[in-house]
Amino acid sequence: MTQRVELATVMDRLAVDGLITEYAVAVDDGDWTAYRDLFAPEGRADYRSAGGIEGDAAQVARWLARSMELFPMRQHLIVNRRVRFGYLEQDTGDTAQVQADYINPMRLAGQDGGSTAPDFVCGGRYAFTLIRTPDGWRITELTVQEKWRRSPHPSPT
């Protein structure tokens, strides 16, 4: 690899890492416009393993906006990011696959509109498929694979 290719790869990794961070911040802050802007026009998200929906970015943003009203405090932690760059039309690095683990503590809303303890916490893995666009890296596909959750109200056995 030449130094120019190595530098471009480092810059792409930083941009991809920034996109994943912007995803977490958009969801945590409830910024659904920013959430939609992270996706390519054909971008889709699948939250079914966490009890959600699958659809285009706008559909999923509307669902998240309603669902997240239950949790006035959210704080995604996205770790163990594994990035693999791919090929599109023989150009190195125009696509990327990212797998990243997450833990997501959320505070449930209280009856008076405030928040209350205990927290709802879940964890799992994200799978992102990304594409380089003229506007930077964008999500074409996002799949959530929830692996566990802890709820203040245990499910009946």
Side-chain angles (χ1 to χ4, degrees):
M1 249 186 216
T2 67
Q3 283 184 328
R4 183 173 294 158
V5 171
E6 289 173 355
L7 178 59
T9 301
V10 169
M11 297 299 292
D12 281 336
R13 289 184 73 86
L14 289 171
V16 164
D17 187 66
L19 179 72
I20 303 306
T21 298
E22 290 300 321
Y23 163 82
V25 170
V27 173
D28 290 346
D29 291 351
D31 188 343
W32 308 117
T33 300
Y35 176 90
R36 287 187 303 274
D37 289 346
L38 297 171
F39 287 79
E42 70 280 5
R44 298 186 69 76
D46 184 349
Y47 289 80
R48 291 178 293 183
S49 78
I53 67 166
E54 186 276 334
D56 66 41
Q59 291 170 318
V60 173
R62 286 189 299 273
W63 171 79
L64 281 168
R66 288 187 309 273
S67 299
M68 293 297 113
E69 289 175 357
L70 296 172
F71 307 101
M73 189 284 299
R74 305 178 288 275
Q75 187 177 26
H76 273 79
L77 303 171
I78 302 179
V79 299
N80 301 334
R81 300 173 194 203
R82 287 165 286 182
V83 179
R84 301 286 182 262
F85 292 104
Y87 299 91
L88 181 64
E89 298 174 8
Q90 304 305 312
D91 291 329
T92 303
D94 283 336
T95 62
Q97 300 287 324
V98 180
Q99 285 189 332
D101 296 328
Y102 70 89
I103 184 167
N104 187 9
M106 298 182 284
R107 175 72 43 101
L108 288 161
Q111 292 181 347
D112 61 357
S115 63
T116 182
D119 294 329
F120 175 91
V121 183
C122 61
R125 180 165 291 158
Y126 289 116
F128 295 89
T129 301
L130 310 177
I131 189 166
R132 183 195 315 271
T133 74
D135 296 321
W137 288 95
R138 295 293 182 264
I139 301 167
T140 57
E141 188 175 327
L142 163 62
T143 303
V144 175
Q145 182 59 51
E146 185 177 90
K147 294 183 176 185
W148 61 271
R149 67 173 53 183
R150 186 183 73 219
S151 173
H153 307 291
S155 301
T157 54

